[in-house]
Amino acid sequence: MKIACIDSSAQHRLILKSLLESAFEACRSFIGHAEAISIVPYSIDEIAIQRKPDVCIVGPGFTADQAAGVCLQLRKHFTSGAEIPGLLGTGALSMPEIVPIFVVVSHEIHELRTLRRFEQIAADVFHSGDRPARIVHKILQCGKSARRTRAGKTVAVCGVKGGVGATSIS
């Protein structure tokens, strides 16, 4: 699972990354079997050119207004027309997948007003001193549901002809 840490400066991104790494480390014995986690710090400009992550986390280096703007920008970027995979086998357009966006805020602005502001654009809001189990549980829960499964095809071959090791399908 690829987790993108987005914050206002490189220093804040590294602090957010270490916060998440320590949360996952604290919960390692309780997680059980989970897929590998890759926590990558990005600026808002870098995320536009990278492969789409499974989860985005906007850090506490932003003010509440800036964080809301970043969340809206991420939502717009990940649901743009370029992300629509085209026609499915049934002929209907498929819907773009939504990348869960979490917001980490400082203790000073973690209040009801901030929570209400982010309820439409973020999956959840944490504060920097939140319990590691809550953070890890929410990230793993949303990351699992957001993960894309690739469509495959099964081909059954009857009456193949060919030599040893050379199967031909006609």
Side-chain angles (χ1 to χ4, degrees):
M1 176 188 308
K2 184 177 178 183
I3 301 173
C5 296
I6 302 162
D7 216 331
S8 59
S9 68
Q11 181 181 8
H12 285 118
R13 288 189 288 274
L14 291 177
I15 291 170
L16 180 60
K17 181 181 177 185
S18 67
L19 173 82
L20 293 172
E21 286 174 343
S22 65
F24 276 97
E25 186 63 33
C27 296
R28 184 173 307 281
S29 62
F30 303 112
I31 291 175
H33 181 69
E35 67 178 297
I37 304 294
S38 171
I39 302 171
V40 185
Y42 289 125
S43 69
I44 191 66
D45 298 325
E46 293 171 335
I47 196 77
I49 60 173
Q50 298 295 328
R51 182 178 66 89
K52 183 161 69 169
D54 296 314
V55 174
C56 285
I57 300 179
V58 177
F62 293 113
T63 64
D65 293 332
Q66 292 171 333
V70 169
C71 288
L72 290 172
Q73 187 176 352
L74 289 171
R75 180 73 60 214
K76 182 180 177 185
H77 172 69
F78 290 130
T79 58
S80 67
E83 294 292 327
I84 298 177
L87 296 176
L88 293 174
T90 61
L93 280 176
S94 62
M95 296 302 293
E97 294 187 20
I98 304 288
V99 175
I101 300 171
F102 293 97
V103 180
V104 179
V105 296
S106 63
H107 290 289
E108 294 82 29
I109 62 172
H110 190 261
E111 54 193 20
L112 182 61
R113 179 178 167 187
T114 307
L115 296 175
R116 301 272 321 240
R117 182 176 201 171
F118 287 107
E119 69 186 6
Q120 295 297 318
I121 55 176
D124 205 348
V125 179
F126 305 119
H127 60 84
S128 50
D130 222 338
R131 293 187 329 257
R134 180 175 181 268
I135 296 171
V136 170
H137 172 70
K138 282 299 217 177
I139 291 172
L140 290 178
Q141 181 184 22
C142 285
K144 186 182 352 177
S145 64
R147 200 166 317 116
R148 181 186 332 199
T149 58
R150 297 187 181 192
K153 293 183 180 180
T154 303
V155 178
V157 179
C158 298
V160 296
K161 287 185 114 182
V164 176
T167 303
S168 59
I169 301 174
S170 50

